[in-house]
Amino acid sequence: LGLLISAASNDVEASTTSTTAANLSSVTVSIPTTSLLLVVAGLSKSTGAANNASIGLAINGTEVKAPQAWTSSANASARGLVWFLIGPNLASYERSMVGSAFSGTSGTSTGFMGAEAADIPVGTITSITLRGLVGDALITLRTNGLRVYEFTG
């Protein structure tokens, strides 16, 4: 029977008004890529324009999941959650990842299937970074409560 252990956390809010992908919350870790990982964080979108906010993921500085919209395009605030389950990186399984992001306030959600932007690195994971962008610079995307868990056993 395996255990879920906390590998890292970051409770410092990060934000962006960038319309191109920008780094948000990040943690430094030392986890073998043969481990199964769970990454979870809170999300927030402000009002300001009729457009959406997008979230993605970078591992060791490489964007593995390009930001994808998780909110509606209404000029409305949104609060939600993002999670990624990253599978053991074994030969021929370098893109084994799944996840989802949803807005509890707008009822919008999106599913992430695989690390389509790049392979998950081989060896050791040293950093995990949420990346995001907004559809209009009048909107602010915020992340907080980033948690990384490692499944053992």
Side-chain angles (χ1 to χ4, degrees):
L1 184 63
L3 297 173
L4 182 64
I5 60 169
S6 176
S9 64
N10 181 346
D11 287 329
V12 176
E13 183 179 73
S15 65
T16 187
T17 57
S18 178
T19 57
T20 59
N23 289 341
L24 293 163
S25 298
S26 184
V27 293
T28 300
V29 294
S30 182
I31 302 171
T33 56
T34 53
S35 294
L36 178 64
L37 302 178
L38 175 63
V39 178
V40 181
L43 301 173
S44 172
K45 172 200 160 198
S46 72
T47 59
N51 220 312
N52 56 31
S54 299
I55 194 75
L57 186 73
I59 299 175
N60 294 357
T62 299
E63 186 176 272
V64 296
K65 172 65 191 111
Q68 185 172 328
W70 65 275
T71 66
S72 74
S73 58
N75 184 4
S77 64
R79 308 286 183 269
L81 179 91
V82 62
W83 64 270
F84 297 94
L85 184 63
I86 302 167
N89 185 359
L90 307 170
S92 301
Y93 295 92
E94 296 88 356
R95 296 196 179 204
S96 60
M97 185 177 84
V98 65
S100 184
F102 67 91
S103 167
T105 49
S106 72
T108 305
S109 66
T110 188
F112 306 131
M113 298 301 290
E116 92 289 340
D119 288 350
I120 295 168
V122 175
T124 301
I125 295 175
T126 58
S127 68
I128 295 176
T129 305
L130 294 176
R131 290 179 51 78
L133 61 88
V134 292
D136 188 298
L138 295 174
I139 298 168
T140 301
L141 168 62
R142 292 180 175 86
T143 61
N144 203 345
L146 175 60
R147 301 286 186 270
V148 177
Y149 299 98
E150 180 181 4
F151 291 87
T152 63

